[in-house]
Amino acid sequence: MKVAIIGSTHAGVFAAKEVLAQNPNAEVHIYEKNDTVSFLSCGIALWVGNHVSSPDRMFYESPESLAKQGLHVHMHTLVEKADLADKALTIKDLQSGEQTEESFDKIVITTGSKAVKPNLPGIDSDKVYLAKNWADANALKKVSEYIKSAIVIGAGYIGAELAEQLSVNDKQVTLIDALDRVLANNTDETYSDVFAKAYQEHGVELALGQRVERFEESDQGITVTTDKGSYTADIAILSIGFVPNTSLFEGQVDMLGNGAIVTDQYMQTNVADVFAAGDASTVFYNPTQEHDYIPLATNAVRQGILVGRNIVKPTVAYQGTQATSAVELYGLAYASTGLNQASAVKKGVKTQTVTIQEDYRPNFMLTTDKVTASLTWEVETRRIVGGAFLSKHDISQAANVVSLAIENKMTIDQLAMTDFFFQPNFDQPINYISSVAIAAASQA
C-alpha cells in the first residue's frame, strides 16, 4: 500500500505515524513544502514574550526523526497538482526545480490552513507580520527584540496572547478588532469585560468595533487606518483568523463554502481512498450535532490518528469535538468548551446560560481565589452544550469535564448530581462544576 500525506503539521504527522503503525509494510510518503514539521504554533506568543525554554522544543518531531521511523519524508516539496480520482500527484522539488508524477493507493489531505490576509492597500509591507508558521515566528521573535510599539489586528486567542505578551515586555500595544469586544468569538461579555479591563490596566489601547482599511509606511513605522481612526507603531501583526488551505482540491471533493473538506466519521472524503484531517477539513461539532470548521491542534491530532486507523477499512469512528480551549492573560485563566449564549444564537440553537461566582475552596484556607463559572444548555432537552470558567486559579480541567459531559449528551440535571470529590486543598464540599450545574437545573 502506497500512501501520500500532503502536509506535515499535526494531522499529517499523526496520520503518517499511525498509518505505518497499523500497516508496517505500507510505503508512506510525506510531502511538505516548508523545512519543518510538527511546529506548535500556539507557542508563538509565548516565545515572543520570552516564556519558552527553547524554540527547539516547539517541535515534537523532525524530518530526521520521522525518517528513522520508516517514513519517506520529502521536505521543500510542493504538490502542484492532484488528481484525486486517479490518486495521482504532480510534485515539484522546490530546491532543484525537478517535477515528477506519482501514483498512490491512498491520499491523505492534511494541508492545514492559511492566515486570512485581506486585499487591503499596503498590507504587503515588510512592517506587517503574520503569526502562523515557523517562518512567521522567527520573524516576530527577531523584530520583537528591538521594537518599542506594535499594533495587533485581531482580538481572538492569537491576537489576544500577542498583545498581552508584548505589553508585559514593555511594548506599547494597540489591539484592533472589527467586533466590539476582545475575544468576542470565544467568550460572552461576562468574561471579555474582565479581559478588557486587564488590557487597559496594562496600557494596551483597545480599538474595538473598527475595520482596518489600509496600511501606510512612514518614518515612524507603519500607520493602520480604520474606519474610525489611525494608529501608528513600529510594526503591525495580522491575526484575524484562518481559512482551509485546500484550493488545490476544489471541484474534486465535497467542501463547505469556506473550502473545508467534508469527511465522514472515518475521515473519508466522498472520493474513495482519499482522506482529510486537521485544519483542511471539517469537524463534527457535538454541541450543534453538525459539521463545522474549527481549526484546533487537538482536533487535528485526533483526526490524524483516525486516518491511520481507518486507512484500510472503516474501524474507529470520530467522536466529534467540543472545541475545548483555554487562554491565560495577565494571570487570569479562562477555559471554555462548546457554545456560549452568543455563539448559540449564531448557530440557531435555543439555549439558556447561568453564571455563578464563588471561592474555589473553603475560605478557612489561608488563601483562595474566586471562580466565575457558566453553563449553557439546550432549552428543549436540557442537554449541556457549553461551559466556561475564569479564575486566577487553574480551572482548565473544569472545561475538560464539561467537554466530556457534552460529548456524552449529559443533561444539567445529571451533571448536578455527578460525584466529585471534596478536599479543602482543592475545592468546596460542592465543587464549582456541581454548583453551576445545580444553578442551571434550578433556573431551567
Side-chain angles (χ1 to χ4, degrees):
M1 182 173 66
K2 187 178 179 183
V3 182
I5 311 283
I6 309 174
S8 62
T9 306
H10 307 306
V13 166
F14 278 88
K17 292 172 64 174
E18 192 67 20
V19 167
L20 196 60
Q22 298 293 328
N23 307 274
N25 294 322
E27 182 182 332
V28 183
H29 292 262
I30 300 174
Y31 296 99
E32 173 56 56
K33 66 180 180 179
N34 297 306
D35 56 3
T36 60
V37 301
S38 77
F39 176 54
L40 292 163
S41 59
C42 54
I44 291 177
L46 292 169
W47 189 33
V48 169
N50 300 313
H51 287 97
V52 169
S53 59
S54 167
D56 294 338
R57 294 176 179 175
M58 297 173 75
F59 302 87
Y60 50 85
E61 293 284 2
S62 68
E64 295 76 19
S65 68
L66 291 175
K68 286 180 181 177
Q69 294 171 58
L71 297 161
H72 300 268
V73 185
H74 307 271
M75 304 302 293
H76 303 287
T77 304
L78 178 67
V79 176
E80 290 190 311
K81 184 179 178 181
D83 185 333
L84 298 181
D86 289 340
K87 312 297 178 294
L89 302 179
T90 301
I91 301 157
K92 182 178 181 179
D93 186 316
L94 295 176
Q95 293 181 320
S96 69
E98 181 183 1
Q99 190 178 75
T100 59
E101 293 187 2
E102 295 282 346
S103 295
F104 299 88
D105 298 303
K106 313 275 185 176
I107 290 179
V108 181
I109 301 169
T110 51
T111 46
S113 58
K114 56 186 177 182
V116 174
K117 191 177 180 182
N119 185 22
L120 295 175
I123 200 168
D124 291 323
S125 166
D126 291 340
K127 297 181 187 293
V128 178
Y129 291 77
L130 299 176
K132 170 61 176 170
N133 56 30
W134 176 235
D136 297 336
N138 272 300
L140 274 175
K141 179 61 176 175
K142 183 177 180 180
V143 75
S144 68
E145 300 296 334
Y146 63 84
I147 62 168
K148 294 182 179 179
S149 59
I151 298 166
V152 179
I153 303 163
Y157 274 160
I158 294 174
E161 289 179 309
L162 283 165
E164 182 244 11
Q165 286 295 301
L166 289 166
S167 70
V168 298
N169 279 275
D170 300 321
K171 315 298 182 185
Q172 183 59 50
V173 179
T174 302
L175 181 58
I176 299 175
D177 199 279
L179 299 177
D180 61 359
R181 298 187 289 112
V182 296
L183 298 171
N185 287 325
N186 309 98
T187 71
D188 61 27
E189 290 186 26
T190 299
Y191 301 98
S192 61
D193 287 352
V194 174
F195 286 120
K197 182 180 178 182
Y199 278 117
Q200 291 164 339
E201 288 175 346
H202 287 82
V204 175
E205 181 179 3
L206 298 179
L208 304 175
Q210 302 189 30
R211 293 187 176 276
V212 174
E213 295 182 339
R214 64 183 182 274
F215 301 81
E216 296 174 277
E217 285 193 38
S218 66
D219 292 339
Q220 289 74 42
I222 190 160
T223 298
V224 178
T225 299
T226 74
D227 56 354
K228 295 181 180 177
S230 293
Y231 308 89
T232 300
D234 294 326
I235 64 169
I237 306 172
L238 200 63
S239 56
I240 58 175
F242 305 106
V243 292
N245 183 27
T246 57
S247 58
L248 184 65
F249 315 104
E250 285 180 3
Q252 299 190 68
V253 287
D254 290 342
M255 295 179 174
L256 296 183
N258 69 348
I261 298 171
V262 179
T263 70
D264 66 13
Q265 60 185 335
Y266 301 103
M267 302 296 103
Q268 170 80 52
T269 71
N270 64 305
V271 178
D273 297 317
V274 177
F275 298 77
D279 288 8
S281 71
T282 60
V283 295
F284 187 77
Y285 189 41
N286 283 322
T288 61
Q289 295 288 290
E290 293 179 352
H291 287 284
D292 210 328
Y293 183 63
I294 304 173
L296 288 173
T298 48
N299 294 334
V301 167
R302 287 181 288 119
Q303 289 179 310
I305 292 171
L306 287 172
V307 167
R309 297 191 180 174
N310 297 313
I311 197 80
V312 174
K313 63 178 181 179
T315 303
V316 183
Y318 182 37
Q319 295 173 206
T321 181
Q322 289 70 253
T324 310
S325 58
V327 67
E328 185 174 338
L329 302 171
Y330 304 114
L332 292 166
Y334 173 79
S336 68
T337 186
L339 298 168
N340 57 39
Q341 197 65 35
S343 60
V345 170
K346 291 180 182 178
K347 298 294 184 182
V349 182
K350 189 176 181 181
T351 62
Q352 282 186 267
T353 298
V354 69
T355 299
I356 65 167
Q357 187 178 74
E358 61 183 39
D359 291 337
Y360 85 90
R361 63 181 183 179
N363 58 18
F364 67 69
M365 299 294 293
L366 296 179
T367 62
T368 187
D369 285 306
K370 295 288 184 184
V371 171
T372 304
S374 298
L375 199 62
T376 301
W377 65 96
E378 189 177 44
V379 172
E380 184 178 352
T381 64
R382 301 170 76 94
R383 177 176 65 94
I384 298 166
V385 296
F389 303 87
L390 174 73
S391 182
K392 291 182 179 179
H393 176 62
D394 181 3
I395 41 70
S396 55
Q397 293 309 308
N400 279 336
V401 171
V402 178
S403 174
L404 193 60
I406 296 170
E407 183 174 317
N408 286 281
K409 300 182 179 179
M410 290 180 67
T411 66
I412 50 177
D413 310 282
Q414 289 172 313
L415 184 60
M417 291 294 104
T418 295
D419 179 33
F420 297 117
F421 77 88
F422 163 56
Q423 210 285 335
N425 287 290
F426 301 99
D427 66 350
Q428 299 272 14
I430 298 178
N431 184 281
Y432 53 86
I433 302 172
S434 297
S435 289
V436 72
I438 291 169
S442 299
Q443 176 177 303

